[in-house]
Amino acid sequence: MKAVTFQGPRAVRVEERPKPRIQEADDALVRVTTGAICGTDLHFYHGRTPMEEGFVLGHEFVGVIEEAGGGVKRFGPGDRVVGSFISACGHCWYCRRNLRNKCTGMRIFGCGFAFGDLPGSQAEYVLVPSADFTLTPAPIGLSDEQALFAGDILTTGYYCAHEGGVRPGDVVAVVGCGPVGLFAQMSARVLGAAAVYGIDLVPARLAAAQQAGSRPINAGECDPADAILEATDWRGADVVMECVGNEAALETALRLVRPAGTVSVVGVFVEDRVGLPLGDLWIKNVSLKGGICNVQGHWEQVLSLIEQGRIDPTSIISHTLSLDEAPRGYELFDAHEATKVILKP
Ligand SMILES: [Zn+2]
Ligand SMILES: [Zn+2]
């Protein structure tokens, strides 16, 4: 089968790999019908997070079960499924409490040895461990593209808003208007936010935020705090979501939140440490929430929002490429020339 492999910083290559085979009774083999390139993949692409040469990338996929091990109860051959980027065991202390993002046996697709050595889904086939707890049925009425992002970025955006405790009438600021940031903004509105601000430096991303119904703020041209303070009688935003994953974005988020407000962080931080103005946070009684998304804890809710037409995840797709064109997809995404790249095996 064809698979997109990591070859070193800024080098990915489509290579021929053996088709995976069922190894454990709870495995399922999925023929991938639609995949995507995620911002997390860029951490490897940039060499910011180490990965073994030749590792198969990717963790967003919709597909059809080709074969299921004898222990798989929920799915059989021919079933159309959405994959979570997290494979969770379903049985440990955390899984029993529906905290699948804290599963003690958690593995992440396509993220190398450090994240469980689980080959990724930018391939014609992907082997899915603990299939009953790692896959969910793709709703019949939804296209691959509509259902795909429930397994990662849309649910991450929703989780960010949920963890931030967005309530009806809130003023919400989202730092970052990439795919997760846009979905966080849409989710805030679904949860009843009265005003949602999208903050970024890239004009095309700000235009996408505006298209999604948010009020765009170019942080390169003005201080986002001016608009947010003015809109809130100088209090600050009720909830601020950090959807970038760097110190400057976090610093902006902490500055924009009102006293006793919440900052919800889902941006992926790969640095060992970043500075926190703890004195300010203490005096402001700011709550810090977020972390790696509990996809399996929220994806049913998210899929039902898509089915109801309350969120249109396809609006962020800018490019649909074949698997062979994946290297170009990485280049476009890296250069901010693509909002979201879909890969069709
Ligand atoms: Zn991802
Ligand atoms: Zn578990």
Side-chain angles (χ1 to χ4, degrees), residues 37-41 58-60 85 108 111 151-153 156 180 268 340:
I37 301 174
C38 177
T40 303
D41 299 326
H59 55 263
E60 295 175 303
F85 72 91
I108 301 180
C111 289
D152 184 6
I153 52 170
T156 296
V180 170
V268 180
K340 188 69 182 178

Side-chain angles (χ1 to χ4, degrees), residues 37-122:
I37 301 174
C38 177
T40 303
D41 299 326
L42 290 184
H43 288 309
F44 302 105
Y45 188 72
H46 292 154
R48 291 172 75 200
T49 309
M51 176 178 274
E52 300 71 39
E53 212 178 286
F55 204 85
V56 179
L57 289 155
H59 55 263
E60 295 175 303
F61 60 100
V62 172
V64 176
I65 305 248
E66 173 126 324
E67 192 186 342
V72 177
K73 297 186 177 71
R74 294 176 65 206
F75 305 102
D79 287 349
R80 198 167 150 260
V81 289
V82 185
S84 167
F85 72 91
I86 293 174
S87 171
C89 79
H91 306 295
C92 72
W93 191 92
Y94 291 103
C95 280
R96 290 199 308 275
R97 286 154 182 83
N98 203 24
L99 295 167
R100 302 292 168 81
N101 52 341
K102 295 275 80 67
C103 172
T104 51
M106 176 175 91
R107 300 167 76 189
I108 301 180
F109 290 96
C111 289
F113 190 76
F115 297 92
D117 199 18
L118 189 56
S121 56
Q122 288 168 7

Side-chain angles (χ1 to χ4, degrees), residues 258-284:
R258 69 160 162 79
T262 302
V263 173
S264 182
V265 180
V266 295
V268 180
F269 282 80
V270 294
E271 290 77 16
D272 281 343
R273 16 179 103 222
V274 297
L276 274 184
L278 209 54
D280 291 354
L281 298 182
W282 184 84
I283 205 81
K284 271 173 87 174

Side-chain angles (χ1 to χ4, degrees), residues 194-215:
V196 180
Y197 292 83
I199 299 157
D200 208 299
L201 299 163
V202 181
R205 292 186 163 201
L206 290 163
Q210 187 161 26
Q211 197 114 46
S214 305
R215 303 175 193 187

